[in-house]
């Protein structure tokens, strides 16, 4: 039985909750403080898995979105990615050659995220 079928039999509706855990979950912030940069945190397969499961542990959800960040892609391609305190994420100048010269190094760079 799918989650949707299960929800229908229980006279309830599926719920999609988008969260930015760093804004309010103390257990997230506790793990996050161990990393000098947000990208270092994203590349840690153990702690990324841990914070992925935190909403399930706390709220009893049926599923979770895998913790990562879309900016791991430009980072893997060699584009400068910074998270500036008080301003947010900043990308360096776009260089189309990064995409033209992308190789298996990109996939290797992203292996911790895939894991």
């Amino acid at each position: 039985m799918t989650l949707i079928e299960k929800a229908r039999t229980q006279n309830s509706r599926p719920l999609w909750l988008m969260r930015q855990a760093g804004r309010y979950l103390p257990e997230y912030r506790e793990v996050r403080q161990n990393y000098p940069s947000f990208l270092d945190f994203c590349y840690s397969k153990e702690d990324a898995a841990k914070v992925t499961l935190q909403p399930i542990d706390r709220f009893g959800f049926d599923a979770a979105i895998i913790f990562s960040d879309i900016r791991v892609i430009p980072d893997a391609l060699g584009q400068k990615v910074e998270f500036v305190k008080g301003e947010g994420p900043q990308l360096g100048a776009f260089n189309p050659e990064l995409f033209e010269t992308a190789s298996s190094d990109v996939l290797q760079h992203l292996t911790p995220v895939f894991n």
Side-chain angles (χ1 to χ4, degrees):
M1 180 180 299
T2 69
L3 289 175
I4 292 173
E5 291 167 336
K6 183 178 177 184
R8 285 184 182 141
T9 63
Q10 295 176 353
N11 197 25
S12 62
R13 296 177 190 258
L15 172 69
W16 175 270
L17 178 67
M18 182 90 165
R19 72 176 180 96
Q20 291 181 315
R23 293 190 179 194
Y24 71 94
L25 286 182
E27 56 269 38
Y28 171 93
R29 289 193 303 267
E30 183 179 325
V31 176
R32 170 65 178 95
Q33 74 182 358
N34 296 319
Y35 295 90
S37 79
F38 184 68
L39 284 177
D40 290 336
F41 185 22
C42 290
Y43 289 122
S44 167
K45 66 181 183 179
E46 292 84 9
D47 282 339
K50 183 186 293 184
V51 298
T52 294
L53 296 174
Q54 285 176 344
I56 291 173
D57 295 340
R58 183 180 262 250
F59 302 112
F61 293 146
D62 295 321
I65 303 298
I66 295 171
F67 172 81
S68 189
D69 191 272
I70 190 81
R71 287 164 287 264
V72 297
I73 304 297
D75 180 62
L77 288 166
Q79 188 173 12
K80 183 178 180 183
V81 178
E82 288 184 285
F83 292 84
V84 179
K85 191 169 188 164
E87 292 184 32
Q90 307 280 319
L91 293 176
F94 177 72
N95 180 354
E97 291 178 13
L98 293 174
F99 291 95
E100 294 169 9
T101 60
S103 67
S104 63
D105 293 343
V106 172
L107 294 178
Q108 185 175 359
H109 190 90
L110 293 171
T111 295
V113 177
F114 300 145
N115 288 338

